[in-house]
Amino acid sequence: MSATVSGTGPREQVIGDGRIVVDRLTKSFGSLTAVDDLSFTVDPGRITGFLGPNGAGKTTTLRMLLGLVRPTSGTATIGGRRYADIHRPQRVVGSALEATGFHPGRSGRNHLMVLADTAGVDGRRVDEMLELVGIPAAANRRAGGYSMGMRQRLGLAAAMLGDPQVLLLDEPANGLDPEGIRWLRGFLRHLSSEGKTILVSSHMLQEVEQTVDDVVIIANGRLVKQGSTADLHGEQTALVRSSDQAALAGALARAGLAATPADGGALHVVTGDLPRIGAVALDARIAVHELRSVGADLEALFFELTEAPGNTNRNLGDPSPDHPGTEREGGIA
Amino acid sequence: MGGAIRAEIRKIFTTRLWWGLLIGLVLVSGGLSALFAALVGTTTAGSDPADNPFLHMTKGTAQLIYSAGFVYNLTPLLPLALGVILITQEFRHQTISATFLATPLRWRVLASKSVAIVVIGVVYGLVHNIASAAAGSLVLGIKGEATYLANPDIWRTFAISELCFVLWALLGFGFGMLVRNQLAAVFIALGIAFIAHIALSILFGALGWHTPPKFLPDNLSVGMLVTSDPTGGAGGGASPYFEWWVNALVFLGYAVALSVVGSWLLSRRDVS
């Protein structure tokens, strides 16, 4: 009987450095490949945004990481170990999954007490967590009456119960009102200030953009982009509209600037140096109608990456029936 | 393992299910005991001492009265439903993810749940015994009949009824793991235990088969509880049941077979 935290504190439980490694992970459900040869790492002590449109395979990846779904091939480890091999996993990895429910007839506090039994923590810790997520008053009511926001907070409290070093949060902002999202941002910042490793999935970039250090972007189960948000912000692009787009594209190419056609007959130029574009146009005697910087927007990059021909969401039906097979071809951006 | 067992026991006692079914149990077991006791000494169930176990109060009649809910095939439906619901509600309310995240070794979850079901089975058995003994002996006392409550064989019936509750609940647990859909599992389990039992009993009777009925779950549990001939020998012939411990072993075999197959399937399943 070890109902309370004894000599070995949860921190000593951390195995290795807590780095999350997803290696060539694949999961097929029948003919659908939900996660397709996915590899990425999550560095310890940072907040990583796990981004992708709905149906991209985020939840399946997290569930494989947590041993709930068996990979078709590949491995997913936390601190070098599979989740199922971690002793007292709640003390090492906290998780809040989207489809994790609550028995509607059980109070929120009792839901946590059940989890406290296996985590080896006591009722005081449960009350602390309820206080931390801001639902101590509601905790004695049955969970069936909880709002979406209260359920999310209860899920976070459950994840935090064993004071884990690693947190996996699946769409924690879903169903939160703007006030709730602001609270969540502050909450995540508070956790990261404690040096925790956090992987937070979202299909809405702006929910986490200000909070995350790194991003892993996937679409259709494949990795699209991994890097720090600073790196991504570095890839500035500009939009230019002129009297002769073809001639301007040629002139830009000769000047060493890559230009691709954008919507409405404009050009997308990969540079943040607007005066240089203006100078190239002036030299080529082309009138510039519009010239602005667009590339610093992570949101736009997110959409650009996830809506590239090969990455459009197959779950929403084939958007281009004229080109069957595009979802299989199409390189990773 | 201790933590996982405590968690499973806490799950049972933190929703209204357990005492809701328990109220039903008190009404069914107590009511039927009182009803059976009321029949003692009357010819309501026939005037031939070989056919009417209530004509004269015997030790076997007392066992019949204090297990009336089982004899009527209604009491076992409650631990059966409890066992089914305790596992299927994890799927219905999607709490199974949290359960497996807390205890990733799935066999350990299922073993802990089995232990918790044994505990609640014993609690139910205790309440059943108190309700049956109180209601039955009250009516017998009013009628001036012997209650047999001091008889060791009656106490053995009460002890074995604890085992019956545990076995029925475990049977439901195993069945629930196989079916998983809560509504379907509850209805199919109750349908098999109640309606199929009646249908098969009629069929076997018509065919003149004597051994197959002994394997029906309801007959197995009654065979454990009613070990003395209620007609006091007037009925003659062989007992319609196996020895009580054979009944227990066969029943345990059913529960274990369902649980092992269900556990094996569940241990391989994706939880999403």
Side-chain angles (χ1 to χ4, degrees), chain A residues 1-3 27 29 63 66-70 83-84 86 89-90 95 97 99-107 110-111 113-115 117-118 142, chain B residues 2-8 10-12 14-16 89 93-106 108 267-272:
Chain A
M1 296 287 279
S2 56
K27 179 65 186 183
F29 296 106
R63 282 183 175 265
L66 291 167
L68 293 173
V69 168
R70 288 153 68 98
Y83 185 83
I86 302 173
Q90 289 162 291
S95 47
L97 292 178
T100 300
F102 308 105
H103 191 295
R106 188 177 290 131
S107 74
N110 276 331
H111 176 81
M113 284 302 291
V114 166
L115 296 173
D117 284 329
T118 45
R142 288 188 281 125
Chain B
I5 292 172
R6 269 199 308 281
E8 292 303 333
R10 194 188 294 276
K11 278 182 201 171
I12 295 176
T14 49
T15 72
R16 294 184 286 194
Q89 70 182 7
H93 302 301
Q94 297 180 314
T95 50
I96 192 77
S97 290
T99 301
F100 283 158
L101 286 174
T103 311
L105 295 177
R106 296 186 185 179
R108 199 174 276 183
S267 68
R268 305 174 51 80
R269 255 183 90 72
D270 287 342
V271 178
S272 46

Side-chain angles (χ1 to χ4, degrees), chain A residues 27-70:
Chain A
K27 179 65 186 183
S28 305
F29 296 106
S31 61
L32 177 87
T33 305
V35 175
D36 192 356
D37 201 27
L38 180 65
S39 299
F40 65 86
T41 57
V42 174
D43 289 332
R46 294 171 75 84
I47 305 188
T48 301
F50 188 33
L51 307 172
N54 281 326
K58 300 186 297 293
T59 297
T60 305
T61 302
L62 291 177
R63 282 183 175 265
M64 284 193 279
L65 200 46
L66 291 167
L68 293 173
V69 168
R70 288 153 68 98

